[in-house]
C-alpha cells in the first residue's frame, strides 16, 4: 500500500491549505479559497473578480439537462442529498460541460488559429466554443465575459486566439458566434488554468445548482416514472 | 410522466436564476450566487461575509478521510474528474459531515437546551457539536466563527442555545468544547438555513477540495492497492 | 488506520471465496457463487432453484423507472459503462426496490400478522408487499414464486405470515393481492436471508438490466435533453 | 425531449425480456437470463456452461483493490447498500478490469497476431492478457478457462490468436503466461461478445462481491480514517 501523501492540505490542530493556516483561509472569500486550493497561490484582485464571473455564470442552467435530470431522478428513487448530487456530477461527462475542456486544450495547444481551423475543416469536426442555436450575431454572456476580461486587463493570448479562430472560420466556412463555453475557455486559459481542471471548475460551479434541484425534488411526493415504449418483439 | 418544473432557474436566451437574469448573477460573487440559488433572495453584506467564513472553513481537511480516499481511489481505477469527484461526494453520508446537519436539527427543534441535554444523557447519546479529540479548552475555529457572527451582529437564538447546551452539559456531566461543526450549525441556523440543506452546503464547500485531490492523484502513476488480509477459512 | 480485513475472499495465488478455492468456484453456476459469497455456504439444489427464480424475476422491468433513466441519462452526458451503471444502482434507494427490504423486515419481526395489520391501519400506513395497480385477483409472478417455493418444499413461516397478513387486511379493510415484492420478500426470508441484504440481492439482480440499457443508449447519437419549465419569477 | 424507447424489456402486465414473457424468464437460470438480456437470444447448453465459468471467476478478488476499497469507504461514511455498491462499480475504470476490454478489442481487430506483437514492441506498450506477477509457467485459472472452452468445443479464432500472440511475443522478447484476463477476453470473444460489453459483464460478475464487502463493512463500528501525510508548505 502507498500511504496517502498530499501537498494540498492537512487537518486537525495543525490545519493548512496550500501552506496557509485554515484560520487564515476562513478570512477569505470562498472563491479565493477555491483559487488557492487549486492553483497554490492567492489570486490578484482582478483575477478574483474575473474568476467569480466565470463561476457564477455556470451556477445553474435550468432543469432539462442530463446532470439535473440525473440528480432529481436519483433523489426521487429515495436517496439523500449526497447520493443525489453525486449522480448529477457523474452526468457531467465528455458531452456535458466537456466543450470548455476541449476548447481549453485547443487554445493551449501549439497549433496556431489557422492550422486549427484547417484541421477541423479537413476532418469535418466542429470547433469547440463556436456556434449557438439561438444567437446569430453575438452571445451576450460571452460578450460580458470578454468585456470583463478586457476591463480588468486580463485578456491575453487565448482570448486573441479564440477570436482569430472565429474570424478565420467565418472566412473559410460560415460566421458563427463565440459561445459562452468558448469565452470561458479563453479567459480561464489566460488566467493560467490547465485543461485538466476544465471539468473540475465546472463541477465546482454547478454543484450549488444540483443541491438546489435536489432540495426542490425532495418536496415532490411522487416517484418519477417517465414514459417508455417497448419496441422489441413479443413472442 | 411528470414534466420537469422548477422555480430555480431557466436556460437559453431567457436565462434566470431565482428571478434574476443570469447576466446579473454573473456580476455577483460566487458565494452570493450560491446564497441566491438556495435561499431565493440576496444576502445582506453581513450575511455574505459570514457565509464565506463558513464555506471557506469546510473547503478541505487533509487526505485520510472517507471522501478524499473514495475520490482518489476511484480516480486511481482509471476514471475522469466527474466520476472521481462524485465518489467523494457520495462518501459524505450520515457519519461524514452529518454532525452539522444533526446539530442544526437539534438547535432548530422546539426542545429547549435543558430538555435536549437531559434526553441525550438519558439515552446515552452524544451531543452533536460538542467535544474535540485535541482541544480541551476551546476549538479556535469555532471561536473564530462565533467571533465573526458577533462582530457582524448575526448571532441569534441558535448560537445562544448551543452555548447553553454546552454549559448545561458541563454542569450535568463533563466540560466539552463546542467544536467547529457545532459553531457552523449554530450560525447557519441563525442565518435562517434549514437542516435539509445542512449536508448540501457542506457538499458545495468540500467539492473544491475533492477536485484538488483528484487532480493530484492524476499525477500518480501507480494504481492504488491497499493491504488486505483474508481472515476467513481455507478449505 | 485500520488495515482491511475480510472473511469473504482473498486474491492472487492463494485465492479463496468463503473458504473455497477460486478454481472450485469457477465450476459453480454463477447464482450458486453469489449464494456462497453472501451466505457463506453452498445452497441445496432446491434453494439454488428458487434463488434463480427470484434473481431472474428482477432482471429488468422496462425503461421508465428511476434506475434506468439515471443510467441512460448519465451515459448520454458522455460517460462509460461503469459510471453509467453506477448511477442506476444509486437510484435504487428507499423508494425503488425498497419495498422488498421493508417487507422482509416486517416478516422477520417479532410481531404477528394481526399486530402488524392493526398497527399499519392505526398509523394509516401502507403494507409493503400488498396491492398492485393492475392486478385485482392475483399477481401471476407472485403466484409463480409461491408455487415454486411450495413445489420445492421451501415455503415456511414467512410465506405463511405474508398470506395471513393479506387475509387479515382483507377482513379489516380491503382485499389486495400479494404483489411480486411481497412474494420475493417472503421466500427470501424463508430461505434465511436477512433484510440487510434485501437491497443487495435486488442490486445484483438488476445490474444486468442496467448494463443492457447503457449499451443500448451508447448507440443513440443525441444527448438527452428533457422538457423543462421555469415556474419561478422573472424580474 | 426524446421519449424513451427500448428493445430490451417492458414492465407491468405485459412484461417481456427480449421478446420472452417475464414468466418464462423466471424459469431460467440467472446466468441464462443475463445472456438473453445482453445478446437477445438464449445460449446453448455449452455457451451457458462456459459463461458461468467466466462470471464465477470474476466474482470477488479480496479486499485491497480500488473497487472494494471505494465501496467499503463510502459505506463507512454512513451510506446504504445502493450508494456504497455504486462507488465500487465506479472504481472499475480503465485501469481496473479494463484489461479484459482492451484484450477483446485487440483480439477482435483486423490485425493478425504478428502485426499486433510488432506494433506493441515498436510502441513499447504492454500486451493486454499477457504476464502475471506470480505465475511464470502458467496461470491455473487461465488454463482452466481454456480447458473448459476446449472441452465444450467453444474455443475458436480468438483463443487461437491469443495463443499465437503469446508464442510470437516469447520468440521476439520474453516468455510470459496468458493471464486470466487474456483467457476471459479470448473465450468471451469466441462466444461472440463485443468489446463494448467487456466492462459490462465484469461489472455484473463483480457486483455480488461488492455487496458482500459492503455488508461486512456495515458491522464495523469505526469510521475508516486512513493515514495521510501533508507534504506541502507551512507558512
Amino acid at each position: 500500500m502507498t500511504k496517502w501523501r498530499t501537498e494540498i492540505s492537512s487537518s486537525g490542530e495543525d490545519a493548512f491549505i496550500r501552506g496557509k493556516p485554515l484560520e487564515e483561509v476562513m478570512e477569505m472569500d470562498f472563491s479565493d479559497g477555491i483559487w488557492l486550493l487549486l492553483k497554490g497561490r492567492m489570486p490578484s484582485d482582478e483575477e478574483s473578480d474575473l474568476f467569480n464571473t466565470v463561476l457564477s455564470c455556470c451556477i445553474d442552467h435550468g432543469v432539462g439537462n442530463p446532470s439535473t435530470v440525473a440528480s432529481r431522478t436519483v433523489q426521487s428513487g429515495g436517496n439523500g442529498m449526497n447520493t443525489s448530487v453525486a449522480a448529477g456530477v457523474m452526468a457531467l461527462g465528455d458531452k456535458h460541460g466537456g466543450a470548455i475542456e476541449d476548447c481549453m486544450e485547443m487554445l493551449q495547444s501549439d497549433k496556431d488559429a489557422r492550422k486549427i481551423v484547417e484541421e477541423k475543416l479537413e476532418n469535418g469536426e466542429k470547433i469547440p466554443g463556436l456556434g449557438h442555436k439561438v444567437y446569430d450575431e453575438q452571445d451576450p454572456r460571452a460578450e460580458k465575459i470578454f468585456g470583463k476580461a478586457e476591463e480588468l486587463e486580463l485578456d491575453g493570448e487565448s482570448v486573441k486566439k479564440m477570436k482569430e479562430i472565429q474570424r478565420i472560420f467565418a472566412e473559410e466556412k460560415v460566421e458563427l458566434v463565440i459561445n459562452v463555453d468558448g469565452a470561458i475557455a479563453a479567459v480561464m486559459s489566460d488566467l493560467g488554468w490547465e485543461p485538466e481542471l476544465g471539468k473540475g471548475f465546472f463541477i465546482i460551479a454547478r454543484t450549488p445548482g444540483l443541491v438546489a434541484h435536489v432540495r426542490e425534488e425532495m418536496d415532490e411526493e411522487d416517484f418519477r416514472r417517465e414514459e417508455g415504449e417497448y419496441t422489441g418483439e413479443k413472442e
Side-chain angles (χ1 to χ4, degrees), chain A:
Chain A
M1 196 197 92
T2 328
K3 191 183 168 186
W4 297 101
R5 280 186 182 80
T6 185
E7 296 189 359
I8 300 166
S9 72
S10 57
S11 66
E13 210 180 354
D14 207 32
F16 283 89
I17 304 284
R18 297 283 189 191
K20 299 206 178 291
L22 182 56
E23 288 173 59
E24 200 176 308
V25 175
M26 287 169 69
E27 298 286 351
M28 294 177 194
D29 279 355
F30 181 47
S31 55
D32 290 348
I34 298 170
W35 181 290
L36 168 67
L37 195 62
L38 290 170
K39 292 190 61 68
R41 66 161 177 89
M42 291 301 294
S44 69
D45 287 354
E46 292 75 21
E47 288 169 333
S48 173
D49 199 354
L50 188 54
F51 188 47
N52 272 293
T53 301
V54 170
L55 289 170
S56 295
C57 181
C58 303
I59 205 164
D60 202 45
H61 291 170
V63 74
N65 53 72
S67 54
T68 315
V69 168
S71 272
R72 296 185 74 134
T73 299
V74 165
Q75 198 292 319
S76 142
N79 283 290
M81 185 59 80
N82 58 326
T83 304
S84 310
V85 170
V89 171
M90 285 156 74
L92 298 170
D94 292 344
K95 292 192 196 168
H96 186 8
I100 296 173
E101 201 171 316
D102 292 345
C103 192
M104 285 173 82
E105 269 168 28
M106 176 182 81
L107 294 172
Q108 295 181 34
S109 76
D110 290 337
K111 293 173 193 163
D112 67 16
R114 184 158 300 277
K115 176 102 182 137
I116 288 166
V117 174
E118 278 167 7
E119 280 187 11
K120 292 289 185 186
L121 284 171
E122 251 176 61
N123 301 328
E125 289 170 1
K126 282 205 280 186
I127 296 185
L130 286 193
H132 194 281
K133 60 189 165 178
V134 176
Y135 301 119
D136 289 331
E137 308 223 337
Q138 56 172 43
D139 177 335
R141 270 144 288 171
E143 293 309 307
K144 188 171 201 91
I145 290 169
F146 283 139
K148 182 79 105 181
E150 218 172 301
E151 182 195 317
L152 295 163
E153 298 181 10
L154 287 168
D155 55 323
E157 287 307 305
S158 290
V159 166
K160 208 172 131 193
K161 191 169 173 178
M162 190 71 225
K163 290 181 174 178
E164 271 177 35
I165 289 171
Q166 189 269 346
R167 187 176 51 75
I168 296 168
F169 191 79
E171 284 166 22
E172 302 288 327
K173 177 110 181 211
V174 65
E175 178 101 27
L176 290 177
V177 299
I178 299 180
N179 59 35
V180 70
D181 290 337
I184 290 174
V187 303
M188 288 299 287
S189 294
D190 280 338
L191 286 169
W193 287 68
E194 51 173 9
E196 284 81 354
L197 283 171
K199 184 55 67 60
F201 83 73
F202 186 67
I203 291 170
I204 292 169
R206 181 55 59 86
T207 296
L210 297 172
V211 169
H213 282 285
V214 171
R215 180 64 194 84
E216 192 178 56
E217 187 68 26
M218 285 178 175
D219 289 336
E220 297 285 324
E221 264 182 62
D222 288 345
F223 180 93
R224 293 273 170 189
R225 183 172 292 284
E226 304 206 354
E227 242 182 298
E229 192 189 343
Y230 178 57
T231 57
E233 287 172 37
K234 299 185 183 189
E235 234 172 43

